[in-house]
Amino acid sequence: MDIGIVSMRYAKALMEYAKSTGEEQTLYKELSMLSRSFEKHPDLRLALDNPILTVREKFSLICAAAVGDTTAGREFTRFITLVLRNRREAFLQYICLSFLELYRKDNRIGVAKLITAVPVSREVEERIRNSASSLLHAHMELQTEVDSTIEGGFIFDINDFRLDASIATQLKKVKQQFIDKNRRIV
């Protein structure tokens, strides 16, 4: 069965259930954290695919990844129980991503990522977030990342667009121009 179909069905069902209970925002936060945990710890997915772990151990592992030491919400625990009972834990990461996409589309939330060579101040983050919000007419979630390999400048990803104003990219372009020019001479 196609991963996209399964994950989207579960995500849509969860979204409808969350709307009926009024717990959309809580579920969004819990699933956002779970999605970040999947991103940061690839071994989490391997652990969920492990047949040696019991359902109870998988449940506690997922809850710890989603909410840490605090108690998970009732809707979240019911959903995870359903996923584990139907043996769909291999699809959980994709279900999270599908739910987050549905929630963002429903609530007009845009996602942007700013990659810089050095950390930026909160003031700069807020200015970028506010500018993007006013241009897109949506609430913006801005993720910042520090990557020293870009050597300077920034890379700004918003929805499907990328603005790459990094020094590393500029140097690569200049290098490619020299290579192309020298090929014509020879």
Side-chain angles (χ1 to χ4, degrees), residues 105-128:
K105 189 180 288 186
D106 203 36
N107 292 301
R108 299 188 48 79
I109 297 174
V111 179
K113 185 174 187 178
L114 178 66
I115 303 169
T116 57
V118 294
V120 293
S121 66
R122 284 276 180 214
E123 181 180 301
V124 172
E125 276 185 45
E126 284 301 316
R127 281 185 31 212
I128 292 170

Side-chain angles (χ1 to χ4, degrees), residues 6-40:
V6 173
S7 61
M8 190 53 81
R9 283 183 181 170
Y10 274 83
K12 283 181 180 178
L14 180 60
M15 183 62 129
E16 290 300 317
Y17 176 66
K19 283 181 180 179
S20 69
T21 60
E23 294 294 322
E24 300 159 275
Q25 192 172 16
T26 307
L27 270 171
Y28 177 71
K29 289 177 184 175
E30 291 169 340
L31 290 174
S32 297
M33 187 62 182
L34 183 58
S35 180
R36 272 187 246 122
S37 295
F38 275 119
E39 246 179 67
K40 290 181 181 178

Side-chain angles (χ1 to χ4, degrees), residues 42-103:
D43 293 338
L44 176 61
R45 189 169 166 170
L46 294 174
L48 292 177
D49 290 339
N50 188 347
I52 296 173
L53 290 177
T54 65
V55 171
R56 187 167 292 189
E57 291 171 331
K58 290 179 182 182
F59 179 80
S60 63
L61 185 64
I62 293 168
C63 287
V67 294
D69 295 334
T70 60
T71 306
R74 181 174 161 259
E75 287 76 14
F76 180 78
T77 56
R78 290 187 68 195
F79 177 70
I80 297 302
T81 304
L82 174 74
V83 169
L84 292 172
R85 188 180 324 128
N86 292 334
R87 296 186 184 136
R88 299 291 193 191
E89 57 268 13
F91 301 109
L92 190 57
Q93 182 177 9
Y94 302 111
I95 294 170
C96 288
L97 293 172
S98 298
F99 178 83
L100 296 177
E101 183 181 329
L102 288 172
Y103 182 85

Side-chain angles (χ1 to χ4, degrees), residues 132-154:
S133 291
S134 65
L135 286 172
L136 295 176
H137 304 293
H139 177 72
M140 291 302 301
E141 287 183 358
L142 180 66
Q143 301 169 356
T144 58
E145 184 179 315
V146 177
D147 184 5
S148 59
T149 61
I150 67 171
E151 299 178 15
F154 63 90

